[in-house]
């Protein structure tokens, strides 16, 4: 899809941005929807590519035009702004899709961070893709990743829970659904609910489970509190945090399976493989020592009616 000429559009020479008083001309971009990540606090965290796309787009769609205008003014970008948020999304989405069908380039940003994370941009992207409209992500700042790397907790696998339900029962039910997921958990929370959320996290996930509370990331009063969920809950109650909050909980402690669990898993594995391979699989799944599991496999095999020949484990 190529951009259609608009006789009322400004000339390419006006597609500019500025850094420290030095002006730059933005290269033209193709028609399509561009979800653009913007800074989560420090305006210096914007990427050069984000500035080019924002300067070259026919329109910039944002949650709050006042917030986004601050960013655009900082970098000398004079593009039209259109609000798109939870309260007007159903009304504005058809209009934006019509603009995209007509060959315009639309930059989509949120108040802070990467759009589509806890904002209505998802449905716009979903419907644009369904119509064959080009969607080009422009990555950048993310409070999720910033909190994760600052927490000092495992980063090889993590699960983002978004915002928890506002009531205790709903919060605890949602946390319980993820309590045994073997990853670090990351979630957003409103500052006035941080202490309650941490107390529920301690109750459901375990008071001794490691965690972190990150607030005002990249801003003047940035703070990362680290400790157990129980200690963090007590600290948030005594000293309520302010600003944008990200909560992090480390993965659950490895659970050593009971003997009955090991026997059940071995019985299933021995139906298709020998004791050596079965022991290796079950030891990995349960955290039990491999030699211990192998000895149990040898003891169980006659009771299970034989199975394959010994496969060399010793």
């Amino acid at each position: 899809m190529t951009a259609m000429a608009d006789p009322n559009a400004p000339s390419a020479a006006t597609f500019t941005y500025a850094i420290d008083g030095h002006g730059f001309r933005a290269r033209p971009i193709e028609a399509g929807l561009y979800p653009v990540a913007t800074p989560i606090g420090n305006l210096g965290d914007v990427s050069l590519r984000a500035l080019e796309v924002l300067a070259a787009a026919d329109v910039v769609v944002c949650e709050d035009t006042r917030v986004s205008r601050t960013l655009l003014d900082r970098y000398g970008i004079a593009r039209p702004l259109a609000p798109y948020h939870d309260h007007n999304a159903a009304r504005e989405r058809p209009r934006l899709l019509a603009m995209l069908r007509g060959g315009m380039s639309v930059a989509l940003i949120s108040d802070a961070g990467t759009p589509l994370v806890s904002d209505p941009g998802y449905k716009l992207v979903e419907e644009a893709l369904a119509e064959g409209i080009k969607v080009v992500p422009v990555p950048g700042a993310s409070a999720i990743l910033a909190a994760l790397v600052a927490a000092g907790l495992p980063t090889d696998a993590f699960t983002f829970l978004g915002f928890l339900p506002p009531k205790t029962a709903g919060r605890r039910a949602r946390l319980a659904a993820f309590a045994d997921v073997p990853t670090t958990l990351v979630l957003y929370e409103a500052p006035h609910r941080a202490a309650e959320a941490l107390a529920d996290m301690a109750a459901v996930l375990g008071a001794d489970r490691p965690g972190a509370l990150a607030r005002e990331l990249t801003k003047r009063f940035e703070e990362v509190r680290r400790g157990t969920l129980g200690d963090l809950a007590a600290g948030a109650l005594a000293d309520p945090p302010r600003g944008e909050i990200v909560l992090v909980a480390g993965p659950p402690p490895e659970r050593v399976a009971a003997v009955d669990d090991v026997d059940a898993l071995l019985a299933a594995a021995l139906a298709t493989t020998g004791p050596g391979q079965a022991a290796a699989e079950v030891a990995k799944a349960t955290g039990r020592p491999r030699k211990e599991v192998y000895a149990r496999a040898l003891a169980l095999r006659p009771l299970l009616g034989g199975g394959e020949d010994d496969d060399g484990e010793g």
Side-chain angles (χ1 to χ4, degrees):
M1 183 184 295
T2 56
M4 296 174 59
D6 181 354
N8 297 316
S11 66
T14 64
F15 294 157
T16 60
Y17 60 96
I19 300 176
D20 293 334
H22 300 282
F24 302 88
R25 181 175 298 180
R27 291 167 292 187
I29 58 176
E30 296 181 0
L33 179 60
Y34 293 77
V36 179
T38 55
I40 59 175
N42 190 320
L43 295 185
D45 289 337
V46 70
S47 72
L48 292 177
R49 185 179 175 214
L51 293 177
E52 277 215 314
V53 170
L54 292 173
D58 292 313
V59 63
V60 177
V61 176
C62 58
E63 287 184 87
D64 188 325
T65 56
R66 295 165 299 181
V67 172
S68 297
R69 178 54 66 193
T70 299
L71 173 65
L72 268 58
D73 285 350
R74 162 73 178 269
Y75 290 101
I77 297 172
R79 307 306 305 136
L81 288 171
Y84 181 73
H85 45 70
D86 286 327
H87 303 295
N88 74 350
R91 181 183 72 249
E92 290 298 311
R93 196 156 49 246
R95 186 175 72 88
L96 294 173
L97 289 168
M99 294 167 61
L100 290 163
R101 285 193 296 267
M104 296 181 69
S105 57
V106 176
L108 172 67
I109 63 177
S110 63
D111 284 348
T114 302
L116 276 67
V117 180
S118 299
D119 72 32
Y122 162 72
K123 289 188 176 294
L124 178 60
V125 169
E126 181 183 40
E127 294 188 22
L129 290 172
E131 294 194 25
I133 294 169
K134 184 176 184 178
V135 175
V136 182
V138 181
S142 167
I144 301 166
L145 297 178
L148 183 64
V149 300
L153 296 169
T155 59
D156 56 327
F158 67 92
T159 303
F160 176 57
L161 305 187
F163 282 95
L164 293 177
K167 302 293 186 181
T168 296
R171 268 198 306 267
R172 293 197 173 196
R174 183 162 177 80
L175 287 167
F178 291 91
D180 294 325
V181 174
T183 69
T184 295
L185 303 180
V186 186
L187 57 100
Y188 290 159
E189 191 51 90
H192 64 279
R193 287 197 297 264
E196 294 177 5
L198 281 165
D200 288 337
M201 291 169 71
V204 175
L205 304 178
D208 292 333
R209 192 157 162 176
L213 181 157
R215 72 178 192 93
E216 294 293 270
L217 290 168
T218 78
K219 300 177 184 178
R220 179 182 177 185
F221 297 105
E222 174 180 289
E223 179 187 17
V224 181
R225 305 179 188 180
R226 305 173 184 88
T228 66
L229 292 178
D231 288 343
L232 289 170
L237 186 62
D239 180 17
R242 298 180 180 180
E244 302 292 332
I245 305 290
V246 185
L247 301 179
V248 186
E254 291 188 7
R255 183 179 70 90
V256 177
V259 173
D260 288 346
D261 295 332
V262 172
D263 286 356
L265 292 170
L266 278 173
L270 287 169
T272 58
T273 189
Q277 182 62 31
E281 294 174 359
V282 174
K284 182 177 180 180
T286 62
R288 289 277 185 174
R290 182 167 174 168
K291 287 188 176 181
E292 173 191 308
V293 177
Y294 179 68
R296 189 62 186 162
L298 292 180
L300 283 176
R301 191 167 59 150
L303 303 177
L304 298 172
E308 295 186 7
D309 292 337
D310 192 337
D311 49 2
E313 178 74 14

